[in-house]
């Protein structure tokens, strides 16, 4: 029997860097067992994914087609896909009051430094995105390789939180 697809939402403040990296990476490596989205608690007007983040994804062969910055409000309504797991990837979003999510999904916080705040040359800034992508991918690989019983609805909360210390 094929296990159900797990819907995962990655949250950050502006939905331009870390959450976008996580969304694209999980969709790339999830093997059809996961469907990922990302959103921000307060994306700026006309917010777009950070070009350096897109470049880092493309450099490792991850498709960036269709990636866009969006508000978490898109995922809080009755017509939104029901999430199984919501992961905050920045400390600001982790501390904010989140909407009440339909279905009461499991939640976890996986904090990463914001690569878009890196100072220096363009090469140094791109390297910061590359390092963040590597860290996110490492943790996502642990998630996708969990045995099915660790991903069952009643266990996913603890499993995702256990990975935050990895």
């Amino acid at each position: 029997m094929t296990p159900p697809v797990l819907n995962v939402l990655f949250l950050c403040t502006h939905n331009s860097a870390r959450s976008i990296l996580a969304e694209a990476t999980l969709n790339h490596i999830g093997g059809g067992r996961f469907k990922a989205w990302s959103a921000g608690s307060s994306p700026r007007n006309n917010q777009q994914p950070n070009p350096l983040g897109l470049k880092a994804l493309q450099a490792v062969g991850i498709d960036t087609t269709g990636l866009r910055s969006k508000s978490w409000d898109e995922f809080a309504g009755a017509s939104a896909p029901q999430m199984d797991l919501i992961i905050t990837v920045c400390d600001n979003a982790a501390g904010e009051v989140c909407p009440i999510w339909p279905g009461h999904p499991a939640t976890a916080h996986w904090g990463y430094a914001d690569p878009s705040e890196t100072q220096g040359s363009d090469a140094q800034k791109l390297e910061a995105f590359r390092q963040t992508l590597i860290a996110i991918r490492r943790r996502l690989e642990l998630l996708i390789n969990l045995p099915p019983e660790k991903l069952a609805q009643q266990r996913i909360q603890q499993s995702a939180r256990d990975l935050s210390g990895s």
Side-chain angles (χ1 to χ4, degrees), residues 40-152:
S41 58
S42 56
R44 297 177 185 108
N45 287 337
N46 301 313
Q47 183 75 55
Q48 297 296 319
N50 190 298
L52 292 174
L54 298 177
K55 190 172 186 177
L57 289 165
Q58 292 163 348
V60 295
I62 297 177
D63 186 18
T64 60
T65 304
L67 291 176
R68 64 182 180 88
S69 299
K70 52 212 157 293
S71 170
W72 66 13
D73 293 338
E74 286 188 32
F75 299 93
S79 63
Q82 185 169 321
M83 296 300 151
D84 298 298
L85 175 60
I86 296 178
I87 301 172
T88 52
V89 291
C90 73
D91 294 332
N92 289 343
E96 294 174 346
V97 177
C98 292
I100 303 299
W101 302 105
H104 304 287
T107 60
H109 174 64
W110 298 352
Y112 301 96
D114 187 353
S116 63
E117 292 182 0
T118 300
Q119 301 298 311
S121 68
D122 288 346
Q124 289 168 317
K125 292 175 184 178
L126 181 58
E127 180 61 16
F129 275 89
R130 194 179 78 74
Q131 290 300 319
T132 302
L133 177 58
I134 289 168
I136 289 171
R137 184 175 181 133
R138 195 173 293 134
R139 197 169 278 160
L140 288 173
E141 285 174 346
L142 293 171
L143 176 68
I144 67 171
N145 286 302
L146 287 172
E149 65 272 11
K150 293 273 191 179
L151 295 173

Side-chain angles (χ1 to χ4, degrees), residues 11-22:
L11 297 178
C12 209
T13 303
H14 300 296
N15 189 219
S16 65
R18 294 162 284 185
S19 52
I20 294 281
L21 294 174

Side-chain angles (χ1 to χ4, degrees), residues 27-41:
N27 283 330
H28 183 74
I29 67 173
R33 291 180 48 221
F34 297 85
K35 173 64 180 144
W37 290 269
S38 67
S41 58

